[in-house]
Amino acid sequence: MSFLFGRQPQISSEQKIAQAEAEIDMVSDMYSRLVQSCSKKCIDTAYREADLNKGESVCLDRCVAKFFEVNVKVSEKMQGEAQNRAGGGGMFGGM
Amino acid sequence: MSFLFGRQPQISSEQKIAQAEAEIDMVSDMYSRLVQSCSKKCIDTAYREADLNKGESVCLDRCVAKFFEVNVKVSEKMQGEAQNRAGGGGMFGGM
Amino acid sequence: MSFLFGRQPQISSEQKIAQAEAEIDMVSDMYSRLVQSCSKKCIDTAYREADLNKGESVCLDRCVAKFFEVNVKVSEKMQGEAQNRAGGGGMFGGM
Amino acid sequence: MESLTQSEQRELQNRMEKKQMKEFMNMYSNLVQRCFDDCINGFESKSLTSREEGCIMRCVDKHMKGSQRLGDRFQEQNAAMAQSGGALGR
Amino acid sequence: MESLTQSEQRELQNRMEKKQMKEFMNMYSNLVQRCFDDCINGFESKSLTSREEGCIMRCVDKHMKGSQRLGDRFQEQNAAMAQSGGALGR
Amino acid sequence: MESLTQSEQRELQNRMEKKQMKEFMNMYSNLVQRCFDDCINGFESKSLTSREEGCIMRCVDKHMKGSQRLGDRFQEQNAAMAQSGGALGR
């Protein structure tokens, strides 16, 4: 998602820390969404046993791989569109 | 939603900024809820085409109008009830 | 949930306030989740009348009691597991 | 809650007040969204039908009463627990 | 909005800029999650099928256009309301 | 991550520690809510039935194991990506 975090040549120490913080927040947010989505798609809510069964385990593993792949696809697409517009803000309807 | 932001005669600069900030946050929150609700109600999740079709577009437009109308209705209702209680806090069960 | 808030013998004033704040935030978060879950389970979305009917009222009361009981069960379970690991961090997959 | 000095309690109070406004606004937005989601399902026109408007009014009423009731029960339970030495609010 | 002095407006501007980055990141994550949830339903392999990939691309496109449209309408409504003296954005 | 000086890294570390507590509490609340939503469906009494209690215990167990597994896979993928120069964690 480097398009989200373009590097400027000269930034202050506070800005550098804030940027690193924003990146960590982003990864952390992605992780919690992944947990949400993959748990929903893979874990049987009947809870018949306390352990993950084989099917659930395999599903979770593949779900993570697919979630990453989707993230890369979306990121590439947005990056492409951002370049087409050449630096204009307001990708979304704005606010 | 002016009942949420009653104006006091004498407030500090920091308070004025914080109040303006709170209002912007409120609008921004409303917008993201509107996007959530209207996307869900209007956009077909089969994603057969990349463009919004006619039906989706019209639905989104009307959905925004209705969302605003609902917001006004709820706001008026709450304002009315707040006046009935004449300034008592604790509209909700509280915490 | 005392396992979340272990008391250290010597902490600064700021830390004490932050800890108290964290506890209040936790209770407040629990309350809003309870409202969400219990409203969904107990309130009929047809909204045929403005008042809570008898069934809804009783359901809400019992729902709160059960939500607390679940919270205690989960808390006890996590506490038990935390002790088994004897102070190791990273209960969840981490980040 | 840990025993706080008076000045610490005042500081905590301050921080809480800032959050209360936020929480109230969040409750309000939740109410708007929930009643919208539950009551509005047709988009043949851009105005609310009278049926939808009635539904919205009853929805707001019902959920406010529900929150009131849930809040009361929550506080009772929380107080009972605090007395028995247990979890949550302490 | 309350009438702010120029320096107050500058301070407000500053705070808003910090939030915009956050909001954009949130929009982005929402888009990833929504399209993942809507398009990915089989886990027979760990790679996207071409059908899933096509769905993701169209989903992103459609939701970006949808947000654009919703944003435009939102601003129009908000402006109209502000003029008529009413709620929301003021 | 951008190359940070040691003192910058320390400051970042500090801020992260504050967030970790918050994130843990959020994970905990999520678990309570999810298991409550999935396991509790009858309100004929105000106490948990033994069936419900069993469900809650297995639910907590299963989701903790699930999170553990998801976290492991997430870190592997993230590390693999960082090496290949790509997105997410860098």
Side-chain angles (χ1 to χ4, degrees):
Chain A
M1 279 168 296
S2 48
F3 74 102
L4 285 174
F5 301 105
R7 311 294 178 208
Q8 298 100 326
Q10 287 279 4
I11 56 174
S12 73
S13 194
E14 170 54 30
Q15 282 173 312
K16 268 168 69 187
I17 298 173
Q19 205 169 68
E21 205 183 345
E23 294 190 38
I24 293 173
D25 287 348
M26 180 90 196
V27 178
S28 161
D29 179 45
M30 274 294 167
Y31 175 68
S32 75
R33 289 171 186 268
L34 174 150
V35 171
Q36 218 178 51
S37 293
C38 291
S39 300
K40 198 163 181 190
K41 288 193 186 285
C42 297
I43 294 183
D44 179 15
T45 58
Y47 302 114
R48 268 181 231 94
E49 72 266 299
D51 286 314
L52 295 170
N53 61 39
K54 183 74 185 145
E56 288 168 335
S57 300
V58 171
C59 182
L60 289 175
D61 292 354
R62 291 178 180 162
C63 189
V64 175
K66 285 198 167 189
F67 197 93
F68 266 76
E69 209 180 327
V70 167
N71 183 52
V72 170
K73 295 283 174 224
V74 177
S75 162
E76 284 170 356
K77 187 168 174 52
M78 305 270 287
Q79 217 160 349
E81 311 221 355
Q83 274 159 10
N84 284 351
R85 288 165 213 241
M91 187 153 248
F92 292 98
M95 261 274 33
Chain B
M1 279 168 296
S2 48
F3 73 101
L4 286 173
F5 302 105
R7 311 291 177 212
Q8 299 99 325
Q10 287 280 5
I11 55 174
S12 73
S13 194
E14 171 53 30
Q15 283 172 311
K16 268 168 70 185
I17 298 174
Q19 202 170 70
E21 205 183 344
E23 294 190 37
I24 293 174
D25 287 348
M26 180 89 195
V27 178
S28 162
D29 180 45
M30 274 295 167
Y31 174 68
S32 74
R33 289 172 186 269
L34 173 150
V35 171
Q36 219 177 50
S37 293
C38 291
S39 299
K40 198 162 180 190
K41 287 193 186 285
C42 297
I43 293 183
D44 179 15
T45 57
Y47 302 115
R48 269 182 230 93
E49 72 267 298
D51 286 314
L52 295 170
N53 62 40
K54 184 75 186 145
E56 288 168 334
S57 300
V58 172
C59 181
L60 289 174
D61 292 353
R62 290 177 180 161
C63 188
V64 174
K66 284 198 167 185
F67 197 93
F68 266 76
E69 210 179 326
V70 167
N71 184 53
V72 170
K73 294 282 174 225
V74 177
S75 164
E76 285 170 356
K77 186 167 174 52
M78 304 269 289
Q79 217 160 349
E81 311 221 355
Q83 274 160 8
N84 283 351
R85 289 162 212 243
M91 187 152 249
F92 292 97
M95 265 275 31
Chain C
M1 277 168 296
S2 48
F3 73 104
L4 287 173
F5 302 104
R7 311 291 179 212
Q8 298 99 324
Q10 287 280 4
I11 54 172
S12 73
S13 195
E14 170 53 29
Q15 283 172 311
K16 267 168 69 187
I17 298 174
Q19 203 169 70
E21 204 183 346
E23 294 190 38
I24 294 175
D25 286 347
M26 180 90 195
V27 178
S28 161
D29 180 45
M30 274 295 168
Y31 174 70
S32 74
R33 288 171 187 268
L34 174 150
V35 171
Q36 220 178 50
S37 292
C38 292
S39 299
K40 199 163 179 188
K41 287 194 187 286
C42 297
I43 294 183
D44 179 14
T45 57
Y47 303 115
R48 266 181 231 92
E49 73 267 298
D51 286 314
L52 294 170
N53 61 40
K54 184 76 186 142
E56 288 168 333
S57 300
V58 172
C59 181
L60 289 174
D61 292 354
R62 291 176 180 164
C63 189
V64 174
K66 286 199 165 187
F67 197 93
F68 266 76
E69 210 180 328
V70 168
N71 183 52
V72 170
K73 294 284 174 223
V74 177
S75 164
E76 285 169 356
K77 185 165 175 54
M78 306 268 290
Q79 217 160 350
E81 312 222 355
Q83 274 159 9
N84 284 350
R85 289 163 212 242
M91 188 152 248
F92 292 98
M95 261 277 31
Chain D
M1 199 116 7
E2 188 92 19
S3 63
L4 299 177
T5 67
Q6 274 213 316
S7 81
E8 287 167 351
Q9 276 181 26
R10 233 174 296 121
E11 171 59 20
L12 183 60
Q13 195 69 30
N14 265 344
R15 298 193 194 177
M16 288 305 111
E17 272 160 28
K18 283 189 195 156
K19 286 189 195 180
Q20 267 170 17
M21 179 64 166
K22 227 175 176 170
E23 248 163 59
F24 179 79
M25 292 189 344
N26 199 38
M27 281 275 194
Y28 174 81
S29 308
N30 262 335
L31 197 59
V32 170
Q33 189 177 20
R34 174 176 290 261
C35 294
F36 182 85
D37 288 347
D38 288 346
C39 294
I40 311 300
N41 281 301
F43 295 96
E44 297 77 32
S45 103
K46 75 194 196 71
S47 306
L48 298 181
T49 64
S50 65
R51 208 176 53 76
E52 286 171 335
E53 191 176 328
C55 180
I56 292 287
M57 292 296 115
R58 292 189 298 276
C59 174
V60 171
D61 245 336
K62 192 170 278 221
H63 280 291
M64 282 176 65
K65 282 165 189 157
S67 295
Q68 182 74 51
R69 191 169 189 110
L70 287 168
D72 291 348
R73 287 302 96 70
F74 186 84
Q75 281 176 331
E76 287 164 20
Q77 287 269 1
N78 217 17
M81 277 208 127
Q83 268 200 327
S84 75
L88 262 183
R90 58 124 298 120
Chain E
M1 198 119 359
E2 188 93 17
S3 62
L4 300 176
T5 67
Q6 275 213 314
S7 81
E8 287 167 351
Q9 277 181 24
R10 233 174 296 120
E11 171 59 21
L12 183 60
Q13 196 69 30
N14 267 344
R15 298 192 193 177
M16 287 306 112
E17 273 160 27
K18 283 189 196 156
K19 286 188 193 178
Q20 267 170 17
M21 180 64 167
K22 227 176 177 170
E23 248 164 60
F24 179 79
M25 293 190 343
N26 199 39
M27 281 273 194
Y28 175 80
S29 309
N30 262 334
L31 197 58
V32 171
Q33 190 176 21
R34 174 177 290 261
C35 293
F36 181 86
D37 288 348
D38 288 346
C39 294
I40 312 300
N41 281 300
F43 295 95
E44 296 78 31
S45 105
K46 74 194 198 70
S47 306
L48 298 182
T49 64
S50 64
R51 208 176 53 75
E52 286 171 337
E53 191 176 328
C55 180
I56 292 287
M57 292 296 115
R58 291 188 297 277
C59 174
V60 170
D61 245 337
K62 193 172 278 221
H63 279 291
M64 281 175 66
K65 282 166 189 158
S67 294
Q68 183 73 54
R69 190 171 190 109
L70 287 168
D72 291 348
R73 288 302 96 71
F74 186 84
Q75 280 175 334
E76 288 165 19
Q77 287 269 3
N78 216 17
M81 275 208 129
Q83 266 200 330
S84 76
L88 262 183
R90 57 125 300 118
Chain F
M1 200 115 5
E2 187 92 18
S3 63
L4 299 177
T5 67
Q6 276 213 315
S7 81
E8 286 166 353
Q9 276 181 26
R10 232 174 298 121
E11 170 60 20
L12 183 60
Q13 196 67 31
N14 265 345
R15 297 194 194 176
M16 287 307 112
E17 273 159 26
K18 283 190 195 156
K19 286 188 194 179
Q20 266 170 18
M21 179 64 166
K22 227 175 176 172
E23 248 164 59
F24 179 79
M25 293 189 345
N26 198 39
M27 281 274 193
Y28 174 81
S29 309
N30 262 335
L31 197 58
V32 171
Q33 190 177 20
R34 173 177 291 260
C35 293
F36 181 86
D37 288 347
D38 288 346
C39 295
I40 312 301
N41 282 300
F43 295 96
E44 296 77 32
S45 105
K46 73 194 196 73
S47 306
L48 297 182
T49 65
S50 65
R51 208 175 53 77
E52 286 171 335
E53 191 176 330
C55 180
I56 293 287
M57 291 296 116
R58 291 187 299 275
C59 175
V60 170
D61 245 337
K62 193 171 277 224
H63 280 292
M64 281 174 68
K65 283 165 188 159
S67 295
Q68 184 72 52
R69 190 170 190 108
L70 287 169
D72 291 348
R73 287 301 96 72
F74 185 83
Q75 280 175 332
E76 287 165 19
Q77 287 269 2
N78 217 15
M81 275 208 130
Q83 268 200 326
S84 74
L88 263 181
R90 53 125 298 121

